[in-house]
Amino acid sequence: MGGYSYDELGAIFAMQGFAGISLFSVLLLMALGLAIIFGQMGVINMAHGEFMAAGAYTTYLISSLTETYIPAFMPYYFVFSIAAAFLVAGVLGYLAEFILIRHLYKRPLDTLLATWGLSLIMQQSYRSIFGAREVSPTLPDWLMGSVQPTDMIDIPINGMFVLGLTIFTTLAVFYLMFKSRWGLRVRATTQNRVMSGAVGINTKKVDRYTFALGCGIAGMAGAAFTTIASTGPTTGTLYIVDTFMVVVFGGAASLFGTIASAFSIAQAQSILEFFISGSMAKVFTLLTLVIILMFKPEGLFASKVRR
């Protein structure tokens, strides 16, 4: 095929597959937060990408401050910046829910318009604070370089780190949503808000912390994103469509569906990009998803509701 030997083709597919895993990691972190906000709360959060950008800019800011004032801390700052990105994006999400979102529950189209306006405000804020040019943090040395399992395959270390972070976060979200008392309150509030309030659950508090959690996970996705690309004021808008696509295709309230959908979309785009251009790869992926959703509109893993 195209003058390549079978070994070279195998190496190319392996490297493209791992590039797809890096994209899968970022998409899954983004989609986990959106699945909680959209799937559990019914809020169409068009500003979700901007919360990711908040995490990315937090990482950049901590990198710049560390490099200037505490250069000896550079090998360790990135781990702390992930926690800081989660906290910053989570606090912003908490404030957004309190000021804006709590007035719009059960009005999904209004949440779409309101959060779209919020995304424009956040983009302009980033442009005013950090400038219009894209920025990148200085990554610690241990995130640089690659592992070579064979002579023709290079696996970047930063991609392996992001994959590990994604696995850890996914397991933590699964435990929180399905094995903890707080997750039980979230699912009860989603299914029957009136009855949940009648048995003593503070549904307003559940809503606020659930929205903050979803935004915080998007902030972690932003921190992970800085290892593979630079960050600009409109970076979040480049991923919001793909993230909604992942959540809808997987099933809005299904964690397993979100994982399967993110992996399928990322791998399809990455492998197709080897044969055709990146934009055409996205078009073919999108068309395939549309066709599948025509026959299975509830997504890959529809949530089962007892009636």
Side-chain angles (χ1 to χ4, degrees), residues 5-199:
S5 68
Y6 287 110
D7 290 340
E8 289 173 332
L9 278 175
I12 289 170
F13 273 103
M15 293 180 68
Q16 286 296 117
F18 198 84
I21 288 177
S22 298
L23 176 60
F24 155 74
S25 300
V26 175
L27 276 181
L28 180 56
L29 283 174
M30 283 281 288
L32 281 176
L34 193 61
I36 293 171
I37 294 172
F38 179 54
Q40 299 291 336
M41 303 176 67
V43 174
I44 304 175
N45 183 18
M46 295 300 293
H48 198 69
E50 278 60 50
F51 289 104
M52 183 195 86
Y57 275 120
T58 299
T59 304
Y60 166 72
L61 187 60
I62 293 176
S63 169
S64 301
L65 292 175
T66 303
E67 194 171 21
T68 303
Y69 298 106
I70 326 173
F73 193 65
M74 282 300 292
Y76 317 104
Y77 90 90
F78 194 79
V79 175
F80 292 93
S81 71
I82 294 173
F86 176 83
L87 290 174
V88 169
V91 169
L92 289 175
Y94 184 95
L95 294 174
E97 199 282 340
F98 179 75
I99 296 171
L100 183 67
I101 304 299
R102 67 190 178 103
H103 305 290
L104 303 174
Y105 288 122
K106 297 184 179 180
R107 294 156 59 186
L109 291 180
D110 289 347
T111 62
L112 185 152
L113 292 173
T115 54
W116 179 61
L118 177 63
S119 73
L120 297 179
I121 293 171
M122 294 177 75
Q123 285 179 32
Q124 189 56 48
S125 300
Y126 299 149
R127 192 173 286 109
S128 300
I129 296 171
F130 299 100
R133 297 180 63 181
E134 293 189 347
V135 297
S136 297
T138 302
L139 296 178
D141 292 338
W142 57 269
L143 271 177
M144 309 301 288
S146 62
V147 176
Q148 289 187 303
T150 70
D151 293 336
M152 291 186 291
I153 298 177
D154 285 328
I155 300 177
I157 293 175
N158 57 0
M160 296 172 64
F161 175 80
V162 172
L163 178 61
L165 175 65
T166 302
I167 293 172
F168 171 79
T169 306
T170 303
L171 292 175
V173 169
F174 178 83
Y175 177 82
L176 193 63
M177 296 301 296
F178 297 102
K179 300 295 182 180
S180 69
R181 292 176 62 86
W182 184 82
L184 184 62
R185 293 190 183 99
V186 172
R187 288 181 285 123
T189 301
T190 302
Q191 293 179 16
N192 195 321
R193 181 176 298 272
V194 176
M195 186 60 69
S196 298
V199 298

Side-chain angles (χ1 to χ4, degrees), residues 200-220:
I201 296 176
N202 187 338
T203 56
K204 292 183 179 179
K205 186 176 180 180
V206 167
D207 289 334
R208 201 152 299 150
Y209 281 103
T210 302
F211 194 86
L213 174 64
C215 294
I217 295 173
M220 292 180 65

